[in-house]
Amino acid sequence: MSTREAAPSSDDTPSIHNSRTHSKSKWSIRSCVAHFKAKCRVSKPKLLENNHNTASNTSDNDDHHDGALALSKLIRQDFDFMEEEIAKVKNYVDHVDGQIIQACQNFKELQTRGSRERELREVKKAVAKLKSQIPSQLRIHSADSNPHRKSWPDINESSGEMYMELKSERTKNAGPLLQAFNDLSYIKQNMVLCFFLFPPKVVIKRRVIIFLGISELVNEEDANKDFEYLIGMGFIEPVYQKCSLVPDSCRMPLSVLSALSDITKKYVNTSKYNTGEITEFHRGYISSLVNVDNAIIDGKLLEKGTDFNTLYLGRWQSSATHHIEVADNKVLHGLKNMKRLRFLSLRGISMIKELPTFISELKSLKILDLKACHNLEVVPDGIGSLFRLTHLDMSECYFLENMPKSLAKLSRLEVLKGFFIGDSNNNKRSCTLEDLSKLQKLRKLNIYTGVKDFPEEGQLIALQKLEALQNLTISWGGCSSPDGSNGIPEPRKLSNKQDLSLPSRLQKLDLQCFHGTSPPSWLRLSNMK
């Protein structure tokens, strides 16, 4: 199957060189085989001759002798089987190891002579495929997926004295904070309590808290208003990152954490699961589960049969180094009976190749986060049955090339990310911009394309039909010139019709990796608000 190239991500740029030179920090496939062979290298058992000689004197021991011979034969067969399988594994290791060495050499050559972004994307795609071939038992010991890693920064580790001062301060102010909390509406209280689903003192993306708010039958606009209100009241501390004028992250002040700790014990439960922890929140009609720091998710997690409103199984941390994967695709079968599920996050989970077809039965689902599910190849056409869906994120799903036609049926969809536009001649079954033009509530659209002439006239006309569209991102992947060379192609010139422009209500435009050497004719900044 062909794969489309990965657009660069600020938090996802692994280095082949580092992964091979720091061998002490993680296991290689070759070292695993050597370790396994060493365990298997034991002497073959003898035929227990002494027992045989003794047993021959008495007929009562004949049965024991026969049993010993049978067991010895079985053990010998087991060792023969293991030797054969180890030989197969060794051949596989040699094959993959050769590919890794070649990819590493290619990367070093690119670094030496200077590399274009398109070439680095090709290497990134090759590395992703190689990494997926490493067994999960090894990957959980790697530097980027250590289950015992420190998953979040301790904002107070530099000053114990400061922490003691804060502890004294928050104890003194507990009374007013409790009164202020009790005066909040039920939904605002739940938004505050959401912070206790995560480890204390961590920085959390604003998006995570907003989505948890939306899952309580609140729209995004109201959830943002509640978020700002809680900042004003001092329950949430905004965090400004990368010189941003708008806080995209947040955390809870220590004083609030301390004052509300007794209240949260009634609603929040933390328990061990696999190599890490999960947290659950139950209050009234709201029930949520968050994967705090587990690297491997298996079917046991969803065996309880609880009908959750929110399942955050994926990566909530900002860094892409927090690797998560499923044991197999059957893990998702536990979702089948969650008819009240409104928010499902599988963000950053590897080894999910396709979504189960019964996803169409989750009629309450409002938010589906599939970002960075790097092995995802198929989203079932039944997704169009999720008539309540308002947010769908498929960005960084680099193997996903077919956009279900039924996306056009999601009449309530407001945010769509990772919409892939390929060569229409090769994939006529995929959803098009013309199909999406029916979505009159769509206000945010992120497009990834490998087509050098995008957008063509028909596609611009389709974009204009999206009357509610306010935020548009277009990312171009690596394209080749018509002659097959790697030169930068010049996009096809469009006609000079005055109506060939972007939607009139567009407020934000982000063009990434545009191939042209001059601004396109449809880029008219005078139309931007």
Side-chain angles (χ1 to χ4, degrees):
M1 176 179 178
S2 62
T3 57
R4 55 190 169 98
E5 296 171 271
S9 173
S10 60
D11 58 357
D12 189 14
T13 53
S15 168
I16 306 176
H17 178 70
N18 288 341
S19 67
R20 293 193 55 78
T21 56
H22 293 76
S23 59
K24 292 184 179 180
S25 64
K26 60 179 181 180
W27 292 6
S28 66
I29 304 179
R30 188 177 295 278
S31 63
C32 174
V33 173
H35 177 72
F36 187 58
K37 289 181 71 175
K39 284 194 170 185
C40 294
R41 196 178 294 122
V42 298
S43 59
K44 295 183 179 180
K46 296 182 179 180
L47 295 180
L48 307 177
E49 295 178 356
N50 291 335
N51 288 344
H52 172 64
N53 293 333
T54 304
S56 62
N57 295 325
T58 61
S59 59
D60 293 339
N61 290 333
D62 285 348
D63 291 340
H64 296 288
H65 169 65
D66 293 341
L69 288 175
L71 284 173
S72 296
K73 181 178 180 180
L74 290 174
I75 293 172
R76 255 196 316 272
Q77 290 175 344
D78 286 339
F79 276 109
D80 291 341
F81 168 78
M82 284 190 289
E83 288 179 359
E84 292 175 1
E85 293 305 309
I86 284 295
K88 294 177 183 178
V89 171
K90 186 177 183 302
N91 290 335
Y92 174 77
V93 169
D94 291 341
H95 174 69
V96 175
D97 199 38
Q99 291 181 314
I100 293 175
I101 292 173
Q102 183 61 50
C104 186
Q105 290 175 346
N106 293 342
F107 180 55
K108 289 179 179 178
E109 290 175 3
L110 290 178
Q111 286 185 312
T112 301
R113 65 176 171 82
S115 55
R116 292 178 179 174
E117 187 175 326
R118 186 189 62 79
E119 294 174 315
L120 288 174
R121 285 191 198 146
E122 288 290 345
V123 175
K124 175 67 172 64
K125 183 171 63 175
V127 171
K129 292 179 68 175
L130 287 171
K131 188 176 178 181
S132 68
Q133 297 181 55
I134 299 176
S136 60
Q137 290 87 346
L138 297 181
R139 270 204 297 273
I140 62 174
H141 292 284
S142 66
D144 64 348
S145 58
N146 181 3
H148 303 294
R149 65 187 177 267
K150 192 171 185 180
S151 302
W152 42 80
D154 187 344
I155 60 173
N156 295 293
E157 63 184 357
S158 61
S159 178
E161 294 181 1
M162 180 186 296
Y163 180 80
M164 293 303 296
E165 293 175 4
L166 286 171
K167 184 176 180 180
S168 174
E169 180 80 13
R170 67 189 187 218
T171 303
K172 183 170 56 179
N173 294 332
L177 281 171
L178 283 173
Q179 184 59 50
F181 176 81
N182 291 329
D183 291 340
L184 296 174
S185 67
Y186 186 81
I187 290 178
K188 289 187 178 73
Q189 286 181 356
N190 284 342
M191 185 174 281
V192 171
L193 295 176
C194 282
F195 281 86
F196 289 86
L197 287 167
F198 305 94
K201 301 179 287 183
V202 299
V203 174
I204 306 172
K205 282 289 187 181
R206 174 180 178 139
R207 161 188 50 79
V208 175
I209 302 300
I210 295 298
F211 280 2
L212 290 172
I214 296 175
S215 66
E216 296 192 31
L217 300 178
V218 179
N219 60 48
E220 187 170 358
E221 182 179 357
D222 289 340
N224 274 294
K225 289 180 179 178
D226 290 346
F227 186 88
E228 294 296 335
Y229 179 84
L230 293 174
I231 288 179
M233 292 291 293
F235 286 100
I236 298 176
E237 178 185 345
V239 176
Y240 297 83
Q241 297 181 343
K242 298 180 181 179
C243 301
S244 175
L245 297 177
V246 178
D248 65 345
S249 302
C250 58
R251 60 189 166 201
M252 178 166 281
L254 292 172
S255 55
V256 180
L257 285 169
S258 177
L260 303 182
S261 59
D262 289 337
I263 294 178
T264 57
K265 291 177 182 178
K266 297 186 293 183
Y267 308 117
V268 179
N269 176 55
T270 301
S271 57
K272 294 290 183 181
Y273 167 72
N274 279 351
T275 58
E277 295 181 343
I278 59 171
T279 52
E280 295 184 39
F281 174 74
H282 300 278
R283 189 187 188 206
Y285 59 88
I286 299 299
S287 58
S288 305
L289 183 146
V290 173
N291 173 22
V292 178
D293 58 356
N294 283 282
I296 304 291
I297 298 176
D298 56 34
K300 295 179 181 179
L301 183 60
L302 303 179
E303 283 181 350
K304 296 180 179 180
T306 305
D307 195 2
F308 290 101
N309 302 110
T310 296
L311 268 181
Y312 209 116
L313 303 180
R315 185 182 70 230
W316 56 268
Q317 298 90 343
S318 300
S319 173
T321 60
H322 292 82
H323 178 81
I324 308 174
E325 68 178 61
V326 292
D328 56 63
N329 253 17
K330 294 181 180 179
V331 171
L332 301 182
H333 288 184
L335 302 172
K336 189 170 185 178
N337 298 317
M338 295 190 181
K339 306 302 182 184
R340 298 194 303 127
L341 189 63
R342 301 190 192 115
F343 176 22
L344 173 62
S345 175
L346 304 176
R347 173 177 290 239
I349 300 182
S350 299
M351 310 312 290
I352 298 177
K353 294 185 177 180
E354 60 180 307
L355 294 183
T357 55
F358 63 74
I359 196 80
S360 61
E361 301 173 16
L362 305 180
K363 304 297 184 181
S364 298
L365 202 61
K366 297 180 64 178
I367 304 169
L368 180 57
D369 185 2
L370 305 174
K371 181 175 181 178
C373 290
H374 296 306
N375 299 101
L376 185 63
E377 299 177 6
V378 179
V379 173
D381 200 58
I383 195 172
S385 301
L386 304 178
F387 62 92
R388 287 191 174 91
L389 202 66
T390 60
H391 294 68
L392 175 59
D393 192 345
M394 301 180 290
S395 53
E396 298 182 36
C397 297
Y398 301 130
F399 291 123
L400 186 61
E401 293 186 335
N402 182 43
M403 297 288 106
K405 279 278 189 183
S406 62
L407 290 178
K409 298 179 181 179
L410 301 175
S411 58
R412 299 187 186 182
L413 198 64
E414 299 178 17
V415 176
L416 175 58
K417 296 182 178 181
F419 185 76
F420 176 64
I421 296 179
D423 187 348
S424 58
N425 294 325
N426 295 333
N427 196 351
K428 296 183 178 181
R429 296 179 304 148
S430 192
C431 187
T432 65
L433 279 180
E434 180 60 34
D435 297 326
L436 288 187
S437 64
K438 304 171 186 177
L439 306 182
Q440 292 304 300
K441 292 188 176 181
L442 192 66
R443 54 183 177 78
K444 188 171 185 176
L445 176 62
N446 287 21
I447 297 172
Y448 178 86
T449 181
V451 180
K452 64 185 175 92
D453 292 325
F454 180 84
E456 297 179 340
E457 292 185 21
Q459 292 164 328
L460 281 171
I461 293 173
L463 284 172
Q464 288 178 345
K465 294 179 182 178
L466 296 172
E467 297 180 357
L469 193 64
Q470 299 177 4
N471 192 321
L472 175 63
T473 298
I474 304 175
S475 301
W476 283 267
C479 301
S480 297
S481 298
D483 60 0
S485 66
N486 292 327
I488 299 176
E490 189 67 30
R492 181 187 305 166
K493 292 184 178 180
L494 302 177
S495 63
N496 292 322
K497 293 180 181 179
Q498 292 299 314
D499 57 348
L500 287 179
S501 61
L502 297 171
S504 59
R505 295 188 61 184
L506 202 63
Q507 298 179 7
K508 182 179 179 181
L509 176 65
D510 185 6
L511 303 180
Q512 300 176 1
C513 304
F514 178 66
H515 291 287
T517 56
S518 59
S521 59
W522 45 264
L523 183 58
R524 300 173 186 171
L525 299 179
S526 58
N527 293 337
M528 298 287 292
K529 294 183 178 181

